[in-house]
Amino acid sequence: MRKFTSVVVAAAMAFIAMETVVGAPARAAAPQEYVALGDSYASGVGAFPYDSASGACLRSPRSYPRLLASSVSGYTLKDVTCSGATMADVRNKQLSALSSNTALVSITVGGNDAQFSSVATGCLTESEWYCETATMYSSYYARNQMVGELAGLYGEIKRRAPKAKVVVLGYPRLVAPTGSCGAISPSAAKRTFMNGNADAVAEGTRAAASRAGVTFVDMRPVLAGYEACSPKPFLHGVNLTRLTETFHPNAEGHAAYTWMLAAYRS
């Protein structure tokens, strides 16, 4: 997978827009319903500023769902993503946005169920032994119980939106092997544990998508070399003034997500 740079991301977004204009029929077709589901990676945490109307859900106009909807004509977006959402939250609070008219669904979820945030916090602030233990338990859940839970959720999405293309965008590896992460820089061993946990969540998500028959987009190779702490990160490092953004995609990271969603949306 070709790596992204700022210039490439900008060119990619321009291409998406041009593709829409050049490929548009003489008479515009009726807009298709696009429903965005998921957690902070989908809502746009890390791509400040946030829509004040979204409250604690922290939806950003530069999130990948909103970038796609603004770059590609022909979609009417229902953005029900919310920071902190678990699979149960998606099921209970977001799936009602789906209908038989929904043509496209995107979703990133599962990280909160795997305790991604608390594990990362522990790895930053506790011992290497703590980090290893926490990531081990999270990884076991991600490769086992999470697979069935996610597959069931994806199946429910398909039942509620039988005509929709369902695209699952995964989580990247969080941290580069070396380099400063900002206020706190984890040791090499901790970085290995954290990235191993990210691999487990990505692989569990892939297995669930395969089981449910929906499309999985692996973001690890896309953002390889641009993790937090790298020279040109597409993920935030540790920011003590906006802790919620730590290890979340920045604006360029969300542009990369948008590019991949655009590539797999049909």
Side-chain angles (χ1 to χ4, degrees):
M1 177 68 68
R2 176 171 52 88
K3 294 180 181 179
F4 281 81
T5 66
S6 301
V7 173
V8 171
V9 169
M13 298 308 298
F15 175 78
I16 293 171
M18 286 183 62
E19 180 188 52
T20 302
V21 173
V22 173
R27 176 173 298 211
Q32 294 183 303
E33 183 177 274
Y34 164 32
V35 178
L37 309 172
D39 59 21
S40 56
Y41 263 67
S43 72
V45 170
F48 187 84
Y50 307 113
D51 181 356
S52 60
S54 68
C57 286
L58 299 178
R59 297 186 191 114
S60 168
R62 294 189 284 182
S63 68
Y64 73 75
R66 297 200 184 191
L67 284 177
L68 182 79
S70 64
S71 301
V72 179
S73 65
Y75 287 112
T76 299
L77 174 64
K78 289 184 180 179
D79 184 359
V80 291
T81 59
C82 193
S83 177
T86 61
M87 285 183 268
D89 291 326
V90 171
R91 190 182 297 276
N92 297 328
K93 301 176 182 179
Q94 299 182 14
L95 293 191
S96 59
L98 301 171
S99 73
S100 59
N101 295 321
T102 305
L104 175 65
V105 178
S106 66
I107 182 170
T108 301
V109 76
N112 291 312
D113 299 270
Q115 302 297 314
F116 234 12
S117 178
S118 60
V119 169
T121 299
C123 285
L124 290 173
T125 60
E126 304 291 343
S127 67
E128 288 184 355
W129 175 86
Y130 182 97
C131 181
E132 181 179 18
T133 302
T135 55
M136 178 183 67
Y137 279 107
S138 176
S139 296
Y140 181 83
Y141 164 78
R143 289 194 172 99
N144 294 279
Q145 182 179 340
M146 188 186 80
V147 177
E149 292 172 346
L150 271 179
L153 177 62
Y154 299 154
E156 180 63 22
I157 291 171
K158 291 176 67 177
R159 285 189 290 275
R160 292 186 180 231
K163 300 175 185 176
K165 174 67 177 286
V166 181
V167 182
V168 177
L169 293 104
Y171 302 94
R173 288 185 169 184
L174 299 183
V175 58
T178 60
S180 173
C181 293
I184 304 173
S185 288
S187 67
K190 288 182 176 181
R191 295 176 194 225
T192 298
F193 300 145
M194 292 166 70
N195 285 333
N197 188 32
D199 286 338
V201 174
E203 290 158 10
T205 305
R206 183 200 298 277
S210 177
R211 184 181 297 185
V214 299
T215 298
F216 173 70
V217 180
D218 191 347
M219 294 302 296
R220 292 174 297 170
V222 178
L223 298 181
Y226 295 94
E227 301 92 346
C229 320
S230 64
K232 295 181 179 179
F234 281 18
L235 300 178
H236 288 281
V238 182
N239 184 339
L240 296 181
T241 61
R242 290 208 294 261
L243 278 172
T244 56
E245 296 185 347
T246 298
F247 301 140
H248 281 76
N250 56 25
E252 290 179 313
H254 279 282
Y257 266 81
T258 306
W259 173 239
M260 297 307 295
L261 175 57
Y264 284 91
R265 64 190 164 90
S266 59

